[in-house]
Amino acid sequence: MIKVSPSVLASDFSCLSEEIKKIDNAGGDYIHLDVMDGVFVPNITFGAPVIKSLRKHSTSVFDVHLMIVDPKRYIKDFVDAGADIITFHYESCDNHDEVIDLIHSFGKKASMSIKPNTSAEVLRPFIDKLEMVLIMTVEPGYGGQKFIDKTLDSIKAVREMITETGKDIELEVDGGIYAENVHLPINAGADVIVAGSAFFKSDDPEKTIKALRGL
Ligand code: DX5
Ligand code: ZN
C-alpha cells in the first residue's frame, strides 16, 4: 500500500507535539521533518534539538529531509535526535558514499534526493545502497508550491532503476501533492507521498490520508 508522510512544515510550530499527534491519530505512516539551513535552500526551519524534543511524543518513523550543505557533518546529531530515515540532497555535497555509509553505520535508513532540474541518472551509481529515494516535485525550500509535471519523468526513471536492482527501495515524492493530483506520482511509480499543506489544511485529516494513498 502507498504510504503517506505528512510534513510538519505546514503545521503550527507553536504546538509541534500536538501537531505530530494529529499525524499519528489520522493514520500517517511516517512523520516528515524538513530541515532547512538558509544556505542550500533560502528558508530556515529547525534542527536536531527540535526533532529530539519531538521524539518523546511519537513512536512513528521520523522521516528527516535534510536540505542543508555538508550533511555529513550533522548526520550523528540527527541520529541522536531520533531520525529513522535520513534523506540528503545529491546537490548538497560531493561525498555521497561517505554520507550513505555514515547513516548506515548508525543502523539508519539512507535516502538521496534530487531537485526538479537534476537528472535522475545521477542516482544510478548509488541506488543499490539506498533504502529510499526522494524526488522533489517542487523546488525545495517552501511548502504550498505547485507540483512540477516534468518531475514525473524522473519518478518513472527511478522506478525503473529500482526495479532493475530487484530490491525493495522506497520511492518518495515531495511537494505540491494533494488528493486531486496524487494519481500522477502514484501512476509514475511513487510509493511514499509527502504532504504538508494537503494534510495540515484539511478539515478531515483521516480522509485526506486515505485519499493520498490513492484510495
Ligand atoms: C519543501 C519540503 C516539503 C514541503 C511540502 O521543500 O521539502 O516537504 O513541506 O509541502 P507541500 O505539501 O505544502 O507542497
Ligand atoms: Zn520535504
Side-chain angles (χ1 to χ4, degrees):
M1 185 160 68
I2 303 291
K3 290 180 180 159
V4 180
S5 185
S7 166
V8 303
L9 188 62
S11 74
D12 179 350
F13 279 17
S14 72
C15 48
L16 275 177
S17 62
E18 293 303 315
E19 296 289 70
I20 66 168
K21 274 183 197 130
K22 258 187 217 167
I23 298 176
D24 287 343
N25 292 340
D29 297 279
Y30 298 161
I31 295 177
H32 189 83
L33 297 152
D34 287 303
V35 177
M36 304 186 190
D37 66 355
V39 181
F40 181 69
V41 287
N43 199 6
I44 299 177
T45 54
F46 48 79
V50 170
I51 294 176
K52 188 172 189 172
S53 69
L54 289 174
R55 188 65 281 185
K56 48 185 173 296
H57 295 280
S58 173
T59 55
S60 290
V61 170
F62 274 13
D63 170 27
V64 175
H65 178 190
L66 298 181
M67 285 161 274
I68 63 173
V69 294
D70 197 4
K72 190 182 170 200
R73 215 175 138 191
Y74 297 98
I75 296 302
K76 186 174 185 305
D77 289 353
F78 287 100
V79 168
D80 290 343
D84 298 294
I85 305 169
I86 300 181
T87 297
F88 69 101
H89 270 264
Y90 171 80
E91 305 88 352
S92 70
C93 61
D94 49 23
N95 54 351
H96 307 93
D97 281 306
E98 289 176 26
V99 178
I100 296 168
D101 293 345
L102 186 59
I103 296 169
H104 286 160
S105 75
F106 295 112
K108 304 300 175 187
K109 293 186 174 175
S111 162
M112 202 188 285
S113 181
I114 54 168
K115 300 202 280 184
N117 289 325
T118 302
S119 165
E121 275 306 308
V122 304
L123 296 163
R124 198 179 286 281
F126 309 104
I127 193 112
D128 255 325
K129 293 174 73 176
L130 298 168
E131 281 74 38
M132 185 163 93
V133 170
L134 168 55
I135 304 291
M136 286 306 299
T137 47
V138 298
E139 283 299 331
Y142 299 95
Q145 302 182 78
K146 194 179 171 302
F147 185 91
I148 299 172
D149 286 326
K150 73 163 190 216
T151 62
L152 292 167
D153 292 335
S154 297
I155 300 168
K156 285 179 199 149
V158 173
R159 173 50 64 197
E160 275 178 28
M161 264 182 232
I162 290 174
T163 304
E164 280 168 28
T165 68
K167 293 186 178 167
D168 192 13
I169 300 163
E170 295 195 312
L171 177 41
E172 184 173 58
V173 285
D174 183 5
I177 303 172
Y178 295 84
E180 293 71 28
N181 65 356
V182 72
H183 61 281
L184 297 172
I186 290 176
N187 290 342
D191 54 13
V192 183
I193 307 295
V194 176
S197 310
F199 181 81
F200 280 102
K201 296 200 187 339
S202 166
D203 297 330
D204 188 343
E206 212 175 318
K207 193 173 159 201
T208 299
I209 294 276
K210 287 200 184 101
L212 290 168
R213 292 193 208 283
L215 301 175

